[in-house]
Structure formats: structure tokens, C-alpha cells
Amino acid sequence: MVDVDASAVMPLLEEFMSIETELADPATHTDLVALKKLNKRYAALSPTIAAFREWEEAAGDVEAATEMAAEDESIAAELPALRERAEQTSERLRRLLVPRDPDDDRDVILEVKAGEGGEESALFAGDLLRMYMRYAERRSWKTQLLDATESDLGGYKDVRLAIHATGTPAPGEAPWARLKYEGGVHRVQRVPVTESQGRIHTSAAGVLVMPDLDDPEEVELDLNLLKIDVFRSSGPGGQSVNTTDSAVRITHLPTGLVVSCQNEKSQLQNKESALRVLRARLHQLAVEEAEAEASAQRRSQVRTVDRSERIRTYNFPENRIADHRTGFKAYNLDHVLDGDLDPIVQSAVDADEAARMSALGSSDT
């Protein structure tokens, strides 16, 4: 039977029971922010607690049947099936006990930036944006366009999108848990609309994914360390689309991070959106720095749009999509671009889980 360290479950069980008590208290329901956090944590713990209780029951059945098997042949005959069930429940519990990404139940802010390839890259950035919006639609998630700089031919030089789950997603089903693997350089091979000779070109667009923080206070911002500039919003080709200085650019002086937003007509709304994105970037930066200290094999997202650092290739002539990290390959690119992303996302989820299970097994020996 797969060994399970029951002591590892006890703190989780105590936390689960404590949350149950809080949720039963009417006073808890007066604070909607706290209530949302409690519900998220309760949903995250529920599968592990259910698996633990199933494992306890299965292990108890095996123990009782083993004691009685010598005196009752019918019970002895049931032992193999009982042991198999106990094996299955212990393996499931062990998988659930693998440390999870603490941000897995969060929403996301996703950025797409055109890279090498000029207008073709900007058009591809637009294709990626639509792909993620259609994927969100398939999962009944809500999307909000935070900021966008369009290109002359209708693509995007850069675009920023917030994606929110509706209700309380099951563990592993929130936007961050599914989309965090999308960060990196995406390469496209196709005949550009600007190509008159029918030649296939290669270009790239970069994707950056960040957890969207529930509470602004999770990342403290010292306003004295921010440089805030306002400017006039502009559209494709530099045409003015606003007659007031409503666009906002915020520079975080200690890190040099720069965020600009111009999608809203109100300067205040653009400032709030920019601060929201800045907090998400600072949170992600802190997480990556902590992971870098803890492990040389930390997961990182590509911030330079270089074709040599690609994570995925979209080949239009062959209708083929290939993920270079997991080896996933399929010939349904048209469906993927229409939002059918789950198979390729699942390949990344499975690869990540296998790596974490392997690391956990190595640490146990």
C-alpha cells in the first residue's frame, strides 16, 4: 500500500473544521471580502479532507478484514478488493497532499505583446487575445479589457486582459491554475496578409500571466516611490482618441517596473487599473524571487519576445500546434484558436504535477 503520512493531514483537517465553524456564524456573512476568502479556502481543502476520510475508512476496512479473514473465508475473499481500494485512496490522498501553488485559486491578469515580425506579430497578438477570450467564454469566466495599443492593421502592439472566475471554482479550475502555464513566447508560422509572394514567415508574440490580487492591501505600495505621469490617449497610427490627458503611466522607482493604462475615458479609472496591474507584477516578482532562492529549477516566464525562447509553435499551413515543454502536438490549430485550449493546458498541468510528485518522492528518500 502507498504510504500516507496522516500527520500531514491533521493541520488541514483542523483548519477545515475551523472554517466550517466560521461559515456557520451569521456574523461572517457581513464581511463579503472575508467570506469570499473563506469559501475559496474551504473549496480548496474539501477534496483533500474527503480523500483523507475515504482513505481512513478504506484502511480501517482492510485492518478489520485482515483480523477476521482467518475465521471467515468470505471475508478473506474480499481482502484483495479492499486492499486495492485502500491503495487507490492512499494514492489519491498522496497526490492531493503535494504542496499546491498558493495562488491557484486566484483570477489572472494576462498581457500579450507583439514581438519580432512587425504588423504580422501584432496580428498574431490579436489572435492570441481572441483565443484566451474564447477559452474564458467556454469556461464561463468573465473578461475585462484593461488596456490596449492597437496596430495599423487591427492587431495589437500590446494588450492587457483581466480574467475572472464566476462563483467559487473547484481546486485546479480557477483562471490562474489553468492559465499560469501560458507565460512565454508563442511563435507563429504562416503567410502574412502583407506577403505578396505567398511565402511563409515566422514571427512571435509574448504572453505574461500574473495572479490578480483579491485585496489591494496584499501588496503595499508607497506612493512616494511611484512616479505618475498623465498623457493623452492615442489609437492606431497615433490618432488622438481623447481630448483630455486621461491616460496614466506609473513607474515603480525601486524596481523600474512601468505600467500604463489608457483604455478608460477617466483618468481615475486608468490610474486604478494601472495600480492593480502594478500590484500583480510586484506580487509575481516577489514570488519568483522567493522561488529562485528556494530552487534553481524555478518556473519563470519569458519577458523578452525572442523566437529562440519559444514555448509553443502555431503552424497555420499544417493546422498544427506544438508545445515545446510538454511534447504535446495536435493538428487542430483552428479549434485551439477558437478557445479549445484545455487539452494543451492539461498537458502542462500533468507535467507540472509529475515533476512535483517526483520532487516529493526524492525528498522522502
Side-chain angles (χ1 to χ4, degrees):
M1 186 184 297
V2 176
D3 291 331
V4 172
D5 182 7
S7 64
V9 188
M10 290 302 107
L12 302 179
L13 182 60
E14 291 174 4
E15 182 184 1
F16 183 79
M17 295 174 68
S18 174
I19 292 175
E20 277 190 327
T21 301
E22 287 187 75
L23 290 175
D25 184 353
T28 302
H29 294 257
T30 61
D31 186 342
L32 295 182
V33 174
L35 180 62
K36 183 179 179 180
K37 289 182 179 180
L38 285 172
N39 278 324
K40 277 190 173 183
R41 184 58 179 161
Y42 187 80
L45 289 172
S46 292
T48 302
I49 301 306
F52 173 66
R53 288 168 175 166
E54 289 177 10
W55 171 75
E56 274 193 318
E57 180 182 351
D61 289 344
V62 169
E63 183 178 355
T66 301
E67 293 177 357
M68 300 171 63
E71 301 175 2
D72 192 325
E73 291 184 3
S74 63
I75 293 179
E78 294 178 9
L79 260 177
L82 292 173
R83 285 175 176 150
E84 182 179 356
R85 176 171 175 260
E87 179 79 17
Q88 292 171 349
T89 58
S90 61
E91 175 62 19
R92 179 167 180 264
L93 177 58
R94 185 171 182 269
R95 285 181 176 274
L96 288 168
L97 286 174
V98 173
R100 293 176 62 239
D101 182 339
D103 288 326
D104 266 356
D105 60 352
R106 292 189 189 272
D107 297 324
V108 304
I109 295 174
L110 185 145
E111 295 184 9
V112 185
K113 293 180 178 291
E116 296 180 5
E119 283 292 344
E120 165 61 10
S121 176
L123 290 170
F124 179 52
D127 291 337
L128 292 176
L129 173 67
R130 285 187 289 274
M131 178 182 74
Y132 291 124
M133 293 183 75
R134 287 172 180 169
Y135 180 60
E137 184 180 347
R138 284 170 179 254
R139 287 187 152 259
S140 299
W141 294 340
K142 296 179 180 178
T143 58
Q144 177 190 3
L145 194 64
L146 297 178
D147 190 53
T149 304
E150 296 183 30
S151 68
D152 292 331
L153 295 183
Y156 290 95
K157 296 177 182 178
D158 60 78
V159 60
R160 191 176 297 124
L161 184 73
I163 303 177
H164 304 280
T166 53
T168 302
E173 298 299 320
W176 173 256
R178 302 298 293 177
L179 291 172
K180 62 183 174 181
Y181 306 102
E182 293 300 300
V185 171
H186 298 237
R187 185 179 73 162
V188 61
Q189 296 172 322
R190 65 183 175 188
V191 179
V193 294
T194 55
E195 170 59 54
S196 59
Q197 303 297 320
R199 292 172 297 187
I200 296 173
H201 286 227
T202 298
S203 60
V207 175
L208 175 64
V209 191
M210 302 166 288
D212 192 5
L213 306 185
D214 297 320
D215 184 354
E217 294 182 2
E218 290 186 67
V219 174
E220 185 176 348
L221 284 180
D222 186 345
L223 296 181
N224 295 319
L225 299 178
L226 301 180
K227 179 186 177 185
I228 302 177
D229 300 306
V230 295
F231 57 98
R232 189 158 297 175
S233 301
S234 61
Q239 285 185 322
S240 174
V241 295
N242 208 322
T243 57
T244 60
D245 292 337
S246 62
V248 175
R249 181 187 301 110
I250 300 179
T251 304
H252 185 249
L253 299 177
T255 62
L257 288 175
V258 180
V259 176
S260 61
C261 282
Q262 61 175 4
N263 209 54
E264 303 293 341
K265 293 183 179 180
S266 161
Q267 185 184 119
L268 178 60
Q269 289 176 311
N270 283 323
K271 180 180 177 182
E272 290 176 350
S273 292
L275 287 171
R276 175 180 172 188
V277 174
L278 179 59
R279 289 188 179 94
R281 283 187 176 177
L282 289 172
H283 170 79
Q284 185 69 357
L285 184 63
V287 169
E288 290 178 358
E289 288 176 350
E291 288 178 349
E293 293 176 3
S295 170
Q297 297 179 339
R298 71 180 177 91
R299 177 187 56 79
S300 64
Q301 296 187 28
V302 180
R303 282 170 172 72
T304 56
V305 186
D306 184 329
R307 283 195 293 257
S308 66
E309 298 176 303
R310 66 187 183 275
I311 65 165
R312 192 177 295 158
T313 294
Y314 302 70
N315 186 302
F316 277 70
E318 299 179 11
N319 199 33
R320 171 173 55 85
I321 186 163
D323 193 290
H324 307 293
R325 301 161 299 176
T326 67
F328 178 94
K329 186 183 294 185
Y331 291 85
N332 64 339
L333 176 57
D334 52 338
H335 293 166
V336 172
L337 290 174
D338 194 42
D340 187 12
L341 259 178
D342 266 329
I344 195 167
V345 167
Q346 193 59 46
S347 74
V349 171
D350 292 343
D352 183 45
E353 182 181 272
R356 289 185 291 117
M357 288 287 291
S358 177
L360 186 64
S362 300
S363 65
D364 290 341
T365 57

